[in-house]
Amino acid sequence: MDTDAISDRGMMAAPEAGDGGGGRGKAAGGGSGRKHLSSIANHVLDQCSRTLHKSVDDLVADFEMGLKTTALDNYSRRLVEYCSLQALQSLTSPDLGDTIHEGSFSRFTFDMMLAWETPTPSDQQTTMESISKEREDRKEPLGPNEAVMGDDTSLFYSDMMPLLVNEEPTVGEDAYVWFGSVFPLACDVVNARFTFEALTATTANRLHYPAYDKFLKEMDKSFKSLQNLPTPTEVEFAEDEFILDMEGTAGTQRVVRHIGTTSWPGRLTLTNKALYFEASGKLSYGPAFKVELSDTGMDQQVTTASTGPFGAPLFDKAIEFTSLPEPLLLEFPEMTSSIRRDLWLTMIREVIFLHRFISTYNIESPIHKWEVHSRVILGVIRLHAAREMLRMSPPPPSSFLIFSLYDDLPKGDFVLEQLANNLKETSTITPFSASYVFKSLNKSDPIALFAEMAKEHDRDSSSHEQPLTSLGNTIDQVRDEAREVTVANAHIEGMKEEGLTDSLLVLVGLVSPISKLGPVIQQVTSWDNPPLTGSVLAVTLLIIYNEWVGYALAAALILAVSAMFWARQRKVGEICSEVIIDTSSDKTTMESIVEAQHNMKKVHEYVKTANIVILRLWSIVLARSPKHTETVIWMLTGLAVALAVVPFKYVLMGLTVAIFMANTRAAKAMSNPRGSRRWREWWESIPAVPVHTVDKAELRTA
C-alpha cells in the first residue's frame, strides 16, 4: 500500500461540467482524473490503483463489466464503492495492526468515506453549502472548506486542537455507516449510527480525521493489551475464549468481593464466556472463582447493589449475581461516581445476551457462532478505545455493544431477529466480516477456527453481501422510536431524583382533580336535589335490568375519545404544557414538623388496624373461635344460596337501591344504633392470631 501523504486532500475541487454522477465518460488522459468525480474521489481511485497494482482505467473497465444494466443511478458513488472494496480485500492481512499504527490505513479509509460522501463535484458543493448554512445558523465564522465544530468540544479535542485544521474535511454519519457495513473495524453496521453519535457528540456530529486516526490506534492498542493479559490462576481457556477486560491488578483500580461482613480484594477477569475472580494473596492470587456466563440453561441475573461497613448499604458501587448457588457480590470502589461499576455491569450483560442470542435463534454453525463472538469482542475493543480517547466525558457503553443496546431500545428484538436471519443466510466468511477483521488484528492466531474460516474464504473471496435493506430500515425505525422515548422520558428522569416529600406533594397535586368527584357523588346520593338523584337512580336501575352495562361502558369510552379529540382540536396540550404543583404553606417550620409527626402517627395506626383485621380473619378461617366461625359459616352459606337462586342483576339492583336509600330521612329514622353497636362488639370479641417476631438465627436453633 502506498502511504504517500495527500497533497491536496484539504482542497476540494470546484464543480466541473459533467454528468453529475450519471455519466461514464472519462477526462482526456487517464491521469488527469475524471470530470464526473470529485477531487477526493479521483484521489481514492488513484490510491486504489496503486494498492491493487492496476491502472484506474482497468479498474473502471472491470467495474463497468460487472454492471447488469446500461444505466445506473449514483454511478460515481458505485464506482468509489467498487474500487474501495477491491482495495480493502488486499489490505485485510495479518499486519493490519501495523498499518493502523503507522497511520496509512486510517488515512486511506478516511479518504474512502470522504469520497463516498462526496463522489461528484455537485455532491461536494452541496456538502459545503450545508456546512456553511450550519455555521451561519450558529453565527460562527466559516473558513474555506471548514468543517463544523461544536462549542462544547471535549478536552480530548482541546488537547489535539493543533491537529484539527480548519480546512480538514470531515465525515458524516451515512459515510461512516457505509464503511462499517463493508469493513466492520471502526463500527458494526448494526449499531454504527449509535457509535457515530457517541464519538461525535462534542463535534456537531462530524468526524474529524485526527479523532478517527486516534480511535483506530486506540483500538489496536487495546487489542494488543488484552492479548497480553495473563490467564486466571488454575484456569485453562477454551480455544475460542478471549479476555475482554481485567481489573484489580497493580496497574488498575481495586475490585473487592464481599462475603457477609468480610471483604476480599482481588483480580477480576471477563472473557466472552465467563467471569473469573481471584482473591489476592500475600505473593500471588488464589484459585479463580468462575461464573459461567455461556450457560443458557441457568437464568443469569446480575443487578446493581450497595455495600458498606458491616453490610450497611451505603455505597452504590457494586454488582451482585442473584442466580448463583454461592452468592457473588463485587464492589468497584470509586471516590465519586459509579462509572466503573456501570461499565462492568454492561459488559457482563453483553456476554450473557450474546449466548442468549445464540440459543434463542438456534445459531448452530461454528462459523456463525464465532462471527457473533467476534462482533461482541470488537464492540468491547471499540468501547475501550473510545473511553481512552474521551477520558473526560466517557461515552455510554451501550452505544458500542450490540446486544446491550437493543435489549434496552423499544422493538430492539426486531433488529436482533433480522440480524440472526441475515447471519444464517451468509454461507461464507469474507474479508468484510467481523471474524475476518478479528483475525487480521490477531497475530498470535490462537483460535483453531481460523483455519476453517480461511477455507471458506478461499471458496469465494470476491463476494461481499451487503447488509439487507430490511435490516437498515428496522434499525432506523428502532432509532426513531428510541428518540421518541428519550423525549417522552426527559421530564420523568427529573422526577425520579426528587425526594419523598416532593414526590408526595406531586402525587397529591395529581390526584386532587379526582378528589373533586367525591362531593359530586355525595350530592347525588344525599337527596339534596331529589329530581337529580331520582333520575340517576332510575337510569342506573334501567341499565342493570336491561343488561346494558356493556353499552354504558362503550358510551363512557366514546365520551373519553370525544374529550381527547376536543383537546387535540383546541391544542390544549400545547397551551397547558406542564402541571403546576403548589408547594407553598402558611404554616411555620415548627407547625409543619408537628403536623408531619401527627400524620406519621395516623399512618402507624392505619397499619396496626390493617394487621389486626388480617389476624382476626385468620382466626375465623382457622376456627380459633368456634362461635364466630360458625356464625360466619351460616352467613356465607345463606349468601351463596341467595346468589345461586336470585339472578345477579336483581342483586345489583338491590345494592344500588340500598346505597341510594341509605341517606334518605326514612332510612335514617329506621336505623338502629344498637345494631351497629352489636356488630362492632361481635367483631371486637374475635381473638386475633398471636404474632411472634423472630430472627433467622432463632429459627435455625429452634
Side-chain angles (χ1 to χ4, degrees):
M1 172 179 176
D2 194 333
T3 59
D4 295 340
I6 303 173
S7 59
D8 60 343
R9 63 188 179 218
M11 302 295 296
M12 291 186 170
E16 300 180 52
D19 59 358
R24 303 180 188 178
K26 305 172 185 176
S32 60
R34 285 162 171 73
K35 292 184 179 181
H36 65 86
L37 294 178
S38 62
S39 59
I40 187 64
N42 275 306
H43 172 76
V44 168
L45 260 65
D46 182 62
Q47 287 287 87
C48 293
S49 68
R50 283 186 285 177
T51 301
L52 297 170
H53 305 290
K54 298 174 67 174
S55 66
V56 176
D57 294 339
D58 291 339
L59 285 175
V60 174
D62 293 342
F63 168 69
E64 294 183 348
M65 187 180 302
L67 295 181
K68 297 181 180 179
T69 58
T70 56
L72 178 65
D73 294 335
N74 296 325
Y75 171 84
S76 300
R77 177 167 290 173
R78 295 292 180 87
L79 177 61
V80 170
E81 290 179 357
Y82 173 80
C83 296
S84 299
L85 293 177
Q86 295 298 316
L88 284 173
Q89 288 191 49
S90 65
L91 293 176
T92 52
S93 58
D95 59 347
L96 178 60
D98 296 336
T99 59
I100 293 176
H101 181 71
E102 67 186 18
S104 57
F105 180 84
S106 59
R107 181 73 261 179
F108 190 18
T109 54
F110 191 82
D111 290 342
M112 288 180 183
M113 290 186 281
L114 290 175
W116 186 92
E117 189 173 36
T118 56
T120 66
S122 60
D123 293 330
Q124 192 170 304
Q125 182 178 6
T126 302
T127 301
M128 291 310 305
E129 289 177 354
S130 63
I131 294 177
S132 301
K133 186 177 183 303
E134 290 179 9
R135 182 66 77 180
E136 183 179 354
D137 292 341
R138 300 175 68 244
K139 297 180 180 180
E140 295 181 5
L142 176 67
N145 298 333
E146 186 179 6
V148 179
M149 282 289 294
D151 288 333
D152 51 348
T153 305
S154 69
L155 293 182
F156 159 70
Y157 293 110
S158 299
D159 295 339
M160 299 192 65
M161 192 60 68
L163 300 178
L164 293 177
V165 184
N166 286 341
E167 287 76 16
E168 180 75 25
T170 57
V171 167
E173 181 177 299
D174 291 337
Y176 188 78
V177 174
W178 164 76
F179 185 71
S181 68
V182 298
F183 192 73
L185 175 63
C187 63
D188 194 301
V189 67
V190 182
N191 63 342
R193 297 190 182 276
F194 299 92
T195 302
F196 185 84
E197 287 182 355
L199 292 177
T200 61
T202 57
T203 54
N205 292 327
R206 300 293 298 183
L207 182 63
H208 295 255
Y209 171 72
Y212 175 72
D213 180 61
K214 176 75 172 177
F215 182 56
L216 293 189
K217 290 180 179 178
E218 288 294 340
M219 282 188 63
D220 181 60
K221 180 179 177 182
S222 298
F223 188 88
K224 294 176 180 177
S225 175
L226 293 175
Q227 275 188 314
N228 296 328
L229 292 177
T231 58
T233 308
E234 300 181 4
V235 171
E236 184 177 354
F237 280 166
E239 62 177 8
D240 57 348
E241 193 167 3
F242 188 83
I243 295 179
L244 302 179
D245 202 355
M246 177 182 290
E247 281 201 2
T249 59
T252 59
Q253 293 178 298
R254 290 198 318 147
V255 178
V256 181
R257 180 185 180 186
H258 294 275
I259 304 177
T261 58
T262 60
S263 302
W264 297 91
R267 183 172 64 182
L268 187 65
T269 305
L270 176 66
T271 70
N272 57 323
K273 287 181 175 291
L275 181 71
Y276 304 90
F277 179 81
E278 310 159 77
S280 299
K282 293 182 178 180
L283 299 177
S284 61
Y285 295 99
F289 176 82
K290 180 180 180 181
V291 180
E292 190 64 58
L293 302 179
S294 60
D295 185 6
T296 56
M298 178 186 298
D299 186 17
Q300 296 283 4
Q301 296 292 335
V302 54
T303 59
T304 59
S306 300
T307 59
F310 305 104
L314 300 179
F315 308 110
D316 184 22
K317 303 177 186 297
I319 61 174
E320 182 179 13
F321 286 84
T322 58
S323 56
L324 298 177
E326 182 180 354
L328 180 61
L329 181 62
L330 299 172
E331 181 187 4
F332 300 85
E334 284 184 282
M335 290 297 295
T336 54
S337 63
S338 56
I339 295 178
R340 288 177 58 220
R341 189 275 307 275
D342 297 338
L343 171 65
W344 274 84
L345 179 63
T346 306
M347 290 193 299
I348 292 172
R349 286 179 173 174
E350 179 74 5
V351 177
I352 295 175
F353 294 151
L354 156 68
H355 296 281
R356 193 175 298 171
F357 171 81
I358 294 175
S359 175
T360 301
Y361 296 102
N362 298 321
I363 300 177
E364 300 177 352
S365 171
I367 295 180
H368 293 161
K369 286 183 179 180
W370 180 242
E371 175 69 15
V372 180
H373 279 265
S374 299
R375 288 189 165 191
V376 170
I377 295 172
L378 290 176
V380 173
I381 293 173
R382 295 185 196 106
L383 173 59
H384 290 319
R387 287 175 58 83
E388 186 67 24
M389 189 176 72
L390 304 170
R391 289 186 177 183
M392 296 298 103
S393 57
S398 58
S399 298
F400 299 86
L401 306 178
I402 298 173
F403 301 110
S404 297
L405 173 66
Y406 287 104
D407 181 73
D408 294 334
L409 293 182
K411 297 184 180 179
D413 54 321
F414 291 170
V415 176
L416 297 181
E417 182 179 4
Q418 190 67 47
L419 174 63
N421 295 334
N422 291 355
L423 189 64
K424 292 178 181 179
E425 293 174 0
T426 304
S427 58
T428 60
I429 297 298
T430 70
F432 312 104
S433 59
S435 53
Y436 202 87
V437 172
F438 182 85
K439 176 188 176 182
S440 300
L441 291 173
N442 191 5
K443 286 187 175 183
S444 58
D445 195 17
I447 300 174
L449 185 62
F450 283 155
E452 184 177 358
M453 290 167 47
K455 295 178 181 178
E456 293 289 344
H457 167 58
D458 292 340
R459 295 176 187 174
D460 187 8
S461 60
S462 62
S463 65
H464 171 62
E465 300 181 11
Q466 293 282 358
L468 297 179
T469 305
S470 57
L471 177 60
N473 295 336
T474 306
I475 294 174
D476 292 338
Q477 293 176 3
V478 169
R479 192 186 184 199
D480 294 339
E481 293 198 17
R483 288 175 175 172
E484 295 178 1
V485 171
T486 301
V487 173
N489 293 334
H491 301 291
I492 298 178
E493 294 299 327
M495 291 180 59
K496 291 180 179 179
E497 299 178 358
E498 296 176 352
L500 176 61
T501 304
D502 293 337
S503 298
L504 288 176
L505 291 174
V506 172
L507 178 61
V508 172
L510 295 176
V511 176
S512 58
I514 301 176
S515 63
K516 296 179 181 180
L517 296 176
V520 176
I521 296 175
Q522 185 178 3
Q523 182 182 5
V524 171
T525 59
S526 63
W527 294 89
D528 293 338
N529 188 353
L532 176 62
T533 304
S535 301
V536 173
L537 176 60
V539 171
T540 304
L541 293 177
L542 183 64
I543 291 175
I544 296 175
Y545 180 78
N546 292 321
E547 299 180 355
W548 291 347
V549 178
Y551 296 109
L553 292 176
L557 295 177
I558 293 299
L559 183 62
V561 171
S562 302
M564 294 179 187
F565 273 115
W566 176 84
R568 187 175 67 176
Q569 192 72 19
R570 297 295 183 89
K571 298 182 179 179
V572 177
E574 298 179 3
I575 299 174
C576 303
S577 59
E578 59 182 0
V579 178
I580 305 299
I581 304 296
D582 184 13
T583 60
S584 61
S585 176
D586 55 355
K587 298 180 181 180
T588 63
T589 304
M590 184 58 65
E591 290 175 344
S592 300
I593 294 174
V594 173
E595 183 183 9
Q597 186 177 7
H598 285 302
N599 291 334
M600 290 300 296
K601 288 183 178 180
K602 288 181 181 179
V603 172
H604 187 206
E605 292 296 330
Y606 292 150
V607 172
K608 289 195 298 184
T609 302
N611 291 337
I612 292 172
V613 169
I614 295 173
L615 292 174
R616 282 177 174 169
L617 291 176
W618 270 109
S619 179
I620 293 174
V621 173
L622 300 176
R624 290 183 58 86
S625 178
K627 180 178 64 174
H628 298 87
T629 302
E630 184 177 357
T631 303
V632 173
I633 288 174
W634 282 110
M635 291 173 59
L636 295 180
T637 303
L639 181 61
V641 172
L643 291 175
V645 174
V646 181
F648 188 66
K649 66 179 181 179
Y650 294 113
V651 176
L652 290 179
M653 292 175 66
L655 292 175
T656 304
V657 172
I659 293 173
F660 276 84
M661 298 303 293
N663 292 325
T664 60
R665 294 180 181 178
K668 292 180 180 179
M670 295 175 58
S671 63
N672 185 3
R674 289 187 178 180
S676 59
R677 177 176 178 176
R678 296 293 175 265
W679 275 113
R680 186 175 66 254
E681 292 174 351
W682 177 84
W683 172 255
E684 292 177 352
S685 64
I686 301 174
V689 177
V691 176
H692 178 56
T693 57
V694 296
D695 197 345
K696 281 186 177 182
E698 297 181 18
L699 289 175
R700 293 173 183 172
T701 57

